[in-house]
Amino acid sequence: MAYRDNTKVVHIGDKVIGGGNPIMIQSMTNTPTEDVEKTVSQILALEAAGCDIVRCTVPNQEAADAIKSIKSRIHIPLVADIHFDYKMAIAAMENGADKIRINPGNIGSKDRIEAVVKTAKERNIPIRVGVNSGSLEKDLLEKYGGVTAEGLVESALDKVHIIEDFGYDNLVISIKSSNVMLCFDAHKKLAEKTNYPLHVGITEAGTLYGGNIKSSIGLGIILNEGIGDTIRVSLSGDPTEEIRTAKMILKTLGLRKGGIEVVSCPTCGRTKINLIGLANDVEKMVQEFPLDIKVAVMGCAVNGPGEAREADIGVAGGIGEGLLIKHGEVIKKVPEAELINALREELVNWK
């Protein structure tokens, strides 16, 4: 059985993770949390893209107070991200946060950690213990000769034990690094030492191009090991792009169903249709349909019809026109300008 099948079950608002439950997709807002309108608008866009859980930074009292208003207008669980000020963790929970993310190493004394744990225990709010390679303690850097998988695991478990010593185990763990293979190694080692649910991500992955590649490889190999209960793709860009990538990673690994999968050929000298533009337009268009099918976009009539047979429906380009292919049979020939609308009509009436 996969590690994730045996992790502790944790409730985050109305979502349930761990114990073999479906892997949840997370993202984080990049608006000032105290700007309720901007933050709500971004969260609603994330919801529409397929986000399951959202995280907001809470650096000050204004942000903590905003949690209540934000919560009343969104439909997915909200996680408060806390650094340095333990009072913000308490205030965020008092204002309705469904979960908090802290690094116990940067919020002060054990008395302060205990105060946070006490509030979480009273409200049964889960705590995500987060450790990044950039926040590794000096003694562990010296012990292991720099940032290592062993150091990340030891740091995370040390923080977990602090909270457990206060009688609380409603926990999720995250250990992140921008080094993909180090991150993979750390997750394998951590999974051998705990049964808490793990939130997985490649931190500071980069831009839409580089970050997608690093995240896809990193998350792919970790998830394929059976590790990971929630995931985030960290990108420098529009947070909704994180959701699109995360969904594709999960679907590619067979860990999530639903939604249309688009496959398209790489084009060649035989292509006489604007395949690149058509494929991009199709990929955007199909997002409105909650169908669990495969759509093929092929560039020519030589291989296109044959390759499209493996899809439920597809198009194959010709000279200024295209074939519409359904379940392996050509059902229509239409001008190039009408191709995407013809495909859309088939999806609207899909049975």
Side-chain angles (χ1 to χ4, degrees), residues 121-164:
K121 189 186 300 186
E122 289 170 352
R123 298 168 181 267
N124 198 29
I125 294 173
I127 297 173
R128 175 179 141 198
V129 178
V131 175
N132 288 354
S133 56
S135 63
L136 208 57
E137 295 88 338
K138 185 178 179 180
D139 62 322
L140 290 175
L141 292 172
E142 293 175 351
K143 177 179 179 179
Y144 292 106
V147 177
T148 63
E150 292 82 2
L152 280 173
V153 171
E154 184 172 332
S155 178
L157 292 179
D158 283 347
K159 309 302 181 299
V160 166
H161 295 329
I162 291 171
I163 296 174
E164 288 177 332

Side-chain angles (χ1 to χ4, degrees), residues 297-311:
V297 184
M298 300 299 167
C300 72
V302 176
N303 295 323
E307 292 171 355
R309 282 197 187 96
E310 296 183 12

Side-chain angles (χ1 to χ4, degrees), residues 87-318:
K87 293 179 182 177
M88 294 305 99
I90 295 171
M93 288 187 282
E94 290 174 343
N95 279 289
D98 296 296
K99 175 184 170 188
I100 60 168
R101 185 270 190 185
I102 63 171
N103 179 345
N106 71 20
I107 64 170
S109 65
K110 286 193 175 183
D111 288 346
R112 293 181 174 184
I113 299 171
E114 184 177 18
V116 172
V117 173
K118 180 183 177 183
T119 302
K121 189 186 300 186
E122 289 170 352
R123 298 168 181 267
N124 198 29
I125 294 173
I127 297 173
R128 175 179 141 198
V129 178
V131 175
N132 288 354
S133 56
S135 63
L136 208 57
E137 295 88 338
K138 185 178 179 180
D139 62 322
L140 290 175
L141 292 172
E142 293 175 351
K143 177 179 179 179
Y144 292 106
V147 177
T148 63
E150 292 82 2
L152 280 173
V153 171
E154 184 172 332
S155 178
L157 292 179
D158 283 347
K159 309 302 181 299
V160 166
H161 295 329
I162 291 171
I163 296 174
E164 288 177 332
D165 287 345
F166 293 125
Y168 201 54
D169 65 354
N170 192 5
L171 305 176
V172 177
I173 305 174
S174 69
I175 49 172
K176 294 185 178 181
S177 171
S178 59
N179 182 316
V180 169
M181 298 314 297
L182 186 152
C183 207
F184 171 61
D185 191 23
H187 280 85
K188 287 190 69 175
K189 287 177 165 56
L190 182 60
E192 294 171 356
K193 296 177 179 291
T194 182
N195 71 336
Y196 286 117
L198 301 185
H199 172 72
V200 180
I202 306 300
T203 194
E204 300 158 359
T207 61
L208 191 60
Y209 172 73
N212 271 333
I213 293 173
K214 287 183 71 173
S215 293
S216 296
I217 294 171
L219 286 170
I221 58 178
I222 293 169
L223 290 168
N224 198 52
E225 285 287 317
I227 298 169
D229 300 275
T230 63
I231 63 170
R232 181 194 175 190
V233 174
S234 298
L235 299 176
S236 300
D238 184 343
T240 60
E241 294 293 341
E242 299 182 356
I243 307 306
R244 293 181 63 191
T245 302
K247 287 166 68 176
M248 180 59 72
I249 291 170
L250 292 177
K251 287 174 65 176
T252 302
L253 292 169
L255 296 171
R256 177 173 285 212
K257 293 184 178 181
I260 294 176
E261 178 185 358
V262 176
V263 297
S264 59
C265 72
T267 79
C268 68
R270 293 191 300 267
T271 306
K272 304 301 181 185
I273 196 171
N274 180 15
L275 181 79
I276 296 172
L278 178 62
N280 284 321
D281 289 344
V282 168
E283 188 172 60
K284 292 177 183 176
M285 182 267 290
V286 301
Q287 292 181 41
E288 65 183 274
F289 297 98
L291 301 170
D292 189 11
I293 62 173
K294 181 183 288 188
V295 173
V297 184
M298 300 299 167
C300 72
V302 176
N303 295 323
E307 292 171 355
R309 282 197 187 96
E310 296 183 12
D312 298 282
I313 190 167
V315 294

Side-chain angles (χ1 to χ4, degrees), residues 44-66:
L44 294 178
L46 286 166
E47 288 180 9
C51 184
D52 299 306
I53 299 169
V54 68
R55 180 160 51 113
C56 298
T57 186
V58 183
N60 51 49
Q61 189 62 49
E62 290 77 15
D65 292 338

